[in-house]
Amino acid sequence: RFVAKPCALGLKVQANGPQKAQPNAILEKVFTAITKHPDEKRLEGLSKQLDWDVRSIQRWFRQRRNQEKPSTLTKFCESMWRFTFYLYIFTYGVRFLKKTPWLWNTRQCWNGYPYQPLMPDLHYYYIVELSFYWSLMFSQFIDIKRKDFGIMFTHHIVTVTLITFSYVTNLTRVGTLTLCLHDAADVVLEAAKMANYCKCQKLSDLLFLTFAIVFIVSRLGIYPLWILNTTLFELYEALGNFPALWVFNMLLVILQILHCFWSYLIIKAAYKAISKGKVTKDDRSDIESSSDEEETVPRSKTPNSTITTNGTSGANGTNGYLTGGTCSEEH
């Protein structure tokens, strides 16, 4: 409110939200009481009742759905808040871990286990990360429900469970490695979103491609070869078999499956960026658009009524939402 909003206005981020649908009592009643996505039969009935063509009614419902979405300014402020948090916590994690022996040798994660002291810096790191992911899980219910809501909710559940379980069982050393590794890509993702909302297309494209590289290298390369390797093999060699080992590894493997799914979406978006020369709107976009989004006056079915359309596309405007997730934004 006091930092992000002035920054957004200074960068000339649009404060207005999606285009509003014109008032219509009949359509509003259908929208609020019956359905937000009318089928073909209902569209035909409304078309006869209002003397509008079906396409105009479809456009009205699309604009009415978009009307409940946040403005570009609101999304910029949210991304700036997340960018600030990720940058801070990633910097803190790097500064903390570079002084620890287990960063350079993962076998140190298991030396003296389970009688490893809980250092104040490690405790603070864990509590702040856990608080943030709890906030993400709760805010997801009052935020826009995007297409990957189920996947993101699963991710938040796994993350909160993983952080809590590793804290309770004192598997915190490898937990700090996992947290810091995951925060690296999110910093770049939120920066790419902010550049997109500012309409800095070239910077947004560059940051998105950088995010794609960091995400794939960290989640599909370093994570399995560094984190999963020590939890699946080095942990078993050092301590043998015990129940917490299987639960912990199961959660980490589920996280890796989610990484593979998101990597597919990111590679798909990156391919479009390279082939078309810019990042197009991805599958997680929360704003519906069409080639005739700007046409606000409904077309009557009477022959003497003609309205020209002004073709625009939401794919390259401020409504585009980068992968997250992201984004996406932003895990």
Side-chain angles (χ1 to χ4, degrees):
R1 180 178 303 173
F2 301 109
V3 179
K5 188 174 181 179
C7 289
L9 296 176
L11 293 169
K12 299 181 180 179
V13 176
Q14 292 182 358
N16 58 310
Q19 186 177 8
K20 293 185 177 181
Q22 71 174 89
N24 187 291
I26 295 175
L27 295 180
E28 185 68 27
K29 185 176 181 180
V30 174
F31 183 87
T32 55
I34 302 176
T35 178
K36 296 181 179 181
H37 298 271
D39 55 22
E40 187 176 348
K41 184 178 180 180
R42 191 176 299 278
L43 287 172
E44 289 290 344
L46 290 170
S47 175
K48 294 176 181 178
Q49 186 177 357
L50 296 172
D51 197 29
W52 289 13
D53 61 18
V54 172
R55 193 177 182 187
S56 297
I57 297 174
Q58 289 175 325
R59 186 181 308 109
W60 188 95
F61 274 93
R62 181 172 57 251
Q63 291 176 347
R64 183 64 182 83
R65 290 191 295 267
N66 288 341
Q67 191 174 313
E68 299 180 347
K69 313 300 183 185
S71 66
T72 305
L73 177 64
T74 302
K75 292 191 288 185
F76 178 91
C77 292
E78 180 188 31
S79 289
M80 189 170 181
W81 144 241
R82 293 191 182 189
F83 170 80
T84 304
F85 174 81
Y86 285 130
L87 182 62
Y88 163 73
I89 204 66
F90 177 68
T91 304
Y92 179 90
V94 170
R95 291 186 62 186
F96 166 71
L97 285 171
K98 71 179 183 181
K99 298 180 292 185
T100 63
W102 59 86
L103 174 65
W104 316 106
N105 180 10
T106 53
R107 291 184 183 273
Q108 292 290 329
C109 291
W110 321 118
N111 283 355
Y113 181 84
Y115 306 106
Q116 296 171 340
L118 182 63
M119 296 178 288
D121 291 346
L122 191 152
H123 172 76
Y124 172 80
Y125 190 25
Y126 249 72
I127 294 302
V128 172
E129 287 273 21
L130 181 60
S131 302
F132 179 72
Y133 282 107
W134 268 114
S135 73
L136 289 185
M137 188 165 67
F138 284 125
S139 63
Q140 194 175 20
F141 289 99
I142 59 176
D143 198 2
I144 308 158
K145 289 189 177 181
R146 298 189 176 92
K147 294 179 181 179
D148 64 345
F149 174 84
I151 297 294
M152 286 302 299
F153 183 70
T154 302
H155 174 267
H156 295 329
I157 289 289
V158 172
T159 303
V160 169
T161 305
L162 195 52
I163 294 174
T164 305
F165 184 81
S166 62
Y167 185 87
V168 170
T169 56
N170 207 28
L171 294 165
T172 51
R173 291 187 176 184
V174 72
T176 56
L177 298 178
T178 307
L179 290 170
C180 190
L181 181 65
H182 281 73
D183 290 334
D186 293 319
V187 177
V188 189
L189 173 61
E190 298 303 331
K193 289 181 183 180
M194 289 192 294
N196 183 50
Y197 299 144
C198 294
K199 296 185 178 180
C200 299
Q201 192 63 52
K202 291 184 178 180
L203 178 60
S204 176
D205 294 348
L206 177 62
L207 287 170
F208 177 74
L209 293 177
T210 303
F211 158 73
I213 294 170
V214 173
F215 186 95
I216 292 169
V217 170
S218 62
R219 308 292 177 91
L220 298 187
I222 299 175
Y223 178 78
L225 296 177
W226 192 38
I227 303 297
L228 291 182
N229 177 64
T230 191
T231 58
L232 289 171
F233 303 108
E234 294 176 354
L235 174 57
Y236 183 80
E237 291 174 6
L239 303 173
N241 189 15
F242 60 102
L245 180 148
W246 296 102
V247 178
F248 190 55
N249 280 313
M250 179 186 69
L251 293 170
L252 291 172
V253 170
I254 292 174
L255 206 56
Q256 179 61 18
I257 294 171
L258 295 174
H259 293 164
C260 294
F261 172 76
W262 281 315
S263 295
Y264 163 74
L265 296 180
I266 291 169
I267 292 171
K268 184 179 177 182
Y271 173 76
K272 291 180 180 179
I274 295 171
S275 61
K276 296 184 179 181
K278 56 187 174 181
V279 177
T280 57
K281 185 178 71 172
D282 85 329
D283 295 333
R284 283 192 54 197
S285 177
D286 51 8
I287 301 293
E288 300 174 66
S289 62
S290 72
S291 60
D292 53 4
E293 190 69 40
E294 296 299 320
E295 184 182 352
T296 58
V297 181
R299 291 184 292 183
S300 173
K301 293 196 294 184
T302 54
N304 59 352
S305 176
T306 58
I307 302 292
T308 59
T309 61
N310 182 18
T312 59
S313 174
N316 303 323
T318 57
N319 291 341
Y321 199 85
L322 293 173
T323 309
T326 63
C327 287
S328 40
E329 77 204 44
E330 358 194 54
H331 279 285

